[in-house]
Structure formats: C-alpha cells, structure tokens
Amino acid sequence: MTGKDEAELSRLLRAAIAGDERAYADFLHRIAVLVRGFVRRKIVQGGIDPEDVVQETLLAIHVKRHTWRMDAPVLPWVYAIARFKLIDAFRRRGRRIEVELDEIAETLAEPEAETVSERDINRALDGLPPAQRSVVSAISVDGRSIGETAARLGISETAVRVSLHRGLAAIARRFGRQR
Amino acid sequence: MRTEDLIKALDADARDRSMPLGKAWWLAFGVAVLIAAAVFFMTIGPRPDIMRAMHTMRFMSKFVFTLVLAASAFALIRALSTPGAATGRAAAWMFAAPLLVAVAVILELSVIPEADWGRRLVGSNMMICVSFIPLIGLGPLAVFLGMLRYGAPTRPVLAGAAAGLLAGGLAATFYAAHCFDDSPLFVATWYTIAIAFLTALGALGGRFFVRW
C-alpha cells in the first residue's frame, strides 16, 4: 500500500511542480489524509488541535516544496516535515504551560482555548496586511478563483497572485519555530 | 479555517516556483567563494613565495585537509537542509578531514626531532590564523545560514554547525595560501580552533536565525 502511495504521490507532485494544478490539489488532499492520520496517532493528550498541525504541515510542504528532490521518495520528505511541525507544537505547548504556572495567580482566563486558537490559521490570517488578507480569504474561505478575486477586488490577476503568494509565505513564517 | 479551504489557497499559488534547493546550494556556494576570495585578496592575500611553496608536501597538504573538510561539509549541509534525506553517510565523511590531519600529525612527529615540535606548533602566524579564518569565513557563513532558511532543516542547530564547518573549510582554504606555517602540528591546532569558532557561531545562527 505504501509503495503504491509513494509512486502515485511522487507522480502527482512532479506533475504539480511542472504546472499541473489539478495534480497539486489531488496531492494536497491525499497528503492531508496521511498527515492527519499520523498526527492523530501521535497526539494522545489534549491541548493540541491535530488539525492545526495538519494545516501547518500543509503550509510548510507548500512553501518548501522546492526542497523535495524529484528523484527522491516523497513520503519520507512529507513525514519529516510533519514530525518537525508536530514536535514544534509539543514544544510550544510545553512552554505555554510554564508561562501559565508563572502567571496563574494573576490571570484566571482560559489558557486552553488560547493555546488552540493562537495556532489557528485564522489568527495568522488576521495578522496579514489588508490587501493580502482579502485575497487569501477570498480564495480560501470563499472559494473564489484567481480571476473572480481579481474582478471582485478590482486588481489585476498578477496582483492577486502576488498577494496570495506573499500572504501564504507570511502565514508560514508566523508559524515558523519561535525559540 | 478549514483544511479544505487552505488547500484551495495553496493550489491557487501552485504556479509560483522557487529554484530547486540542490541548484540553489551550488549557486550559494559560488557566491560564498567569491565573497571569501574578495575578503582574502583585499586583506592578507597569498604569500609571496607561493609558487615555490607549491612544490612542498606540507604546503599542499593544507589544501587537502581544508578542501576535504569543505567538500564533506557541503554534502552534509545539503542533506541536512532537505527533510527526510539520509544524513548518515555524509556525516561519516565528516571524519575524513580530521583523520587526514591526524595521520599527517603522526607523520610529522615521526620525522621532526622532538626539540622542534614546540616551535612548529606555535608557528609565527597563530594570531593571524585564528582571526583571519573567521573573518574570511563570516560572509560565507551568512550566505549558508540564509540558505538554511531557504531550505527546511529539521535539525537547525546541527545544520547551522555544518554551515560553520563549510564556511571554515572554505575560509581555511584561502587562508592556507597566505600562511607560512605549513606544519600539520600548526594546522591541527590553530586551524581547528578557528574553524571551531565558526562552527559554534553557525550552531548559534541555526538556533536563533533558522526558522520555518
């Protein structure tokens, strides 16, 4: 099963890098399923939303897809990124607990909810400059195409692509390890 | 945001393509060599008797050590900046340069009378050595740390240390053309200290600068 997955996923990502958007969507959907399974198996206690880690992994795979060597197997690459993002999530969780202990006398707020939502992509989206935010949310949340977004916002398709690319890169950077 | 929605955004951004990491590493290496060469020739430059020195084993052996170090560190850092890549073999090759130096030290000790060991170890240039190898290597180190950010090292501190070793190997190659102290005893001591400094700096850079 893994061998078949491997061959199929490598083919899809190669096609995607060559410019086939359909293949890329297919690749990302399949990867999301695999990573979700992996992350859920690893997260045994609460405090980390597995879906957050899935989304961060997908984003990292996207912005780092130039690090995949086309002649190398794709699954070890995917799982190495997923593991990195998962460890990062655990680490932040660990540090947050320390902070909570220090400040527990002062604040009786709900730290649990804070932890989850801070890593949510929505938060990162809110932190973007308005132009990038409206493009990224039009395409993702509203599901519009590049052309529709350009027409709706009254800007060129190139401008939409640039804002989308910068916005995604900025979100990925925000999720970069903070140490 | 739902994962489905995120995938829509990623898919719409599929067209943008960055340079493959392997190619980018070669480019970065070329840039680093140019920077190191510029600093080297604008500051200390090669020794005047370099043509004559090139006929001696001791002088040429320095380049074997430094080039083997640079080549093995280059292979290691490329593997470390690629998620899921096997690093074992590249890591094993990192022992090549220290082993060569160790063999050279043993040979040197066996052919040089004991009374001369101290003089050869201290040499005449050690302060220049420990200051100029890091100085020449600083620019290349910055380039390599930038490349680690472009890549995706899952062990950033180790990758940063490899960047320091690579910058050190490169800088020492240039410095060796300047230095009059050709004894392996000198190289094993002062070059190692200078390269260790760059390695520590690289590890720190990996720790604080390389995030993704």
Side-chain angles (χ1 to χ4, degrees):
Chain A
M1 172 209 158
T2 309
K4 211 177 132 204
D5 271 359
E6 171 59 55
E8 178 67 0
L9 287 167
S10 302
R11 188 187 65 75
L12 286 173
L13 187 53
R14 259 194 299 273
I17 289 171
D20 181 345
E21 284 184 27
R22 283 262 294 282
Y24 195 42
D26 198 3
F27 171 80
L28 291 171
H29 280 117
R30 285 167 184 238
I31 288 299
V33 173
L34 290 178
V35 172
R36 190 173 293 124
F38 170 75
V39 168
R40 286 200 179 148
R41 271 198 307 280
K42 297 286 179 185
I43 298 177
V44 285
Q45 78 224 53
I48 299 172
D49 183 348
E51 206 56 27
D52 277 350
V53 181
V54 171
Q55 295 189 1
E56 278 168 46
T57 303
L58 288 177
L59 201 52
I61 282 173
H62 177 70
V63 298
K64 296 296 185 185
R65 63 196 188 283
H66 61 271
T67 68
W68 179 56
R69 271 182 40 216
M70 286 206 219
D71 55 348
V74 75
L75 283 174
W77 178 77
V78 165
Y79 282 120
I81 293 174
R83 195 177 302 118
F84 182 74
K85 288 294 169 186
L86 182 64
I87 291 169
D88 188 25
F90 281 132
R91 189 174 297 190
R92 285 199 203 185
R93 174 74 190 149
R95 195 168 56 195
R96 192 129 301 121
I97 290 168
E98 283 169 25
V99 173
E100 280 160 21
L101 284 175
D102 286 339
E103 295 173 352
I104 206 153
E106 294 166 42
T107 54
L108 291 165
E110 302 269 65
E112 197 70 5
E114 183 77 27
T115 306
V116 173
S117 58
E118 194 190 9
R119 293 179 70 74
D120 188 6
I121 283 193
N122 280 332
R123 277 286 183 91
L125 193 57
D126 289 342
L128 291 180
Q132 290 174 11
R133 189 177 57 213
S134 51
V135 166
V136 175
S137 64
I139 289 168
S140 58
V141 182
D142 307 339
R144 292 180 206 282
S145 69
I146 299 262
E148 287 164 5
T149 308
R152 220 173 90 92
L153 298 175
I155 54 177
S156 72
E157 290 198 8
T158 307
V160 170
R161 286 186 192 280
V162 169
S163 287
L164 175 66
H165 182 67
R166 291 196 182 147
L168 289 174
I171 296 173
R173 233 179 291 122
R174 237 183 98 119
F175 282 148
R177 213 174 252 200
Q178 269 138 35
R179 285 167 295 170
Chain B
M1 189 191 287
R2 288 161 55 233
T3 302
E4 285 299 300
D5 296 338
L6 175 68
I7 290 178
K8 281 182 219 152
L10 302 183
D11 192 39
D13 188 41
R15 198 187 279 184
D16 182 88
R17 279 153 55 199
S18 311
M19 184 188 287
L21 186 64
K23 199 174 158 191
W25 265 119
W26 281 106
L27 190 70
F29 187 73
V31 170
V33 169
L34 289 179
I35 294 173
V39 172
F40 174 70
F41 285 106
M42 284 189 310
T43 54
I44 49 181
R47 56 196 262 187
D49 67 340
I50 187 161
M51 297 311 280
R52 201 148 41 85
M54 276 163 69
H55 295 291
T56 68
M57 277 273 283
R58 285 194 180 81
F59 181 74
M60 293 313 285
S61 72
K62 296 192 292 184
F63 297 98
V64 174
F65 308 143
T66 57
L67 287 172
V68 167
L69 175 65
S72 52
F74 188 58
L76 180 64
I77 202 171
R78 287 180 52 154
L80 283 172
S81 60
T82 309
T87 53
R89 208 203 261 179
W93 271 102
M94 291 308 295
F95 288 103
L99 270 174
L100 286 171
V101 173
V103 170
V105 164
I106 291 167
L107 287 176
E108 180 82 339
L109 292 179
S110 63
V111 296
I112 299 296
E114 208 173 327
D116 271 359
W117 289 0
R119 189 175 56 79
R120 292 202 170 221
L121 186 139
V122 174
S124 56
N125 252 346
M126 70 184 197
M127 282 317 289
I128 301 182
C129 175
V130 293
S131 49
F132 270 90
I133 288 179
L135 188 73
I136 297 166
L138 219 51
L141 179 60
V143 171
F144 300 145
L145 287 174
M147 272 305 297
L148 288 179
R149 275 173 79 110
Y150 184 69
T154 52
R155 284 175 287 178
V157 177
L158 191 63
L165 286 168
L166 177 54
L170 183 60
T173 303
F174 280 102
Y175 176 75
H178 167 83
C179 185
F180 286 97
D181 297 303
D182 298 338
S183 169
L185 301 181
F186 183 90
V187 174
T189 311
W190 306 109
Y191 282 46
T192 303
I193 290 171
I195 293 168
F197 174 77
L198 280 170
T199 307
L201 204 62
L204 272 176
R207 171 83 168 73
F208 293 106
F209 178 71
V210 180
R211 297 171 178 159
W212 59 282

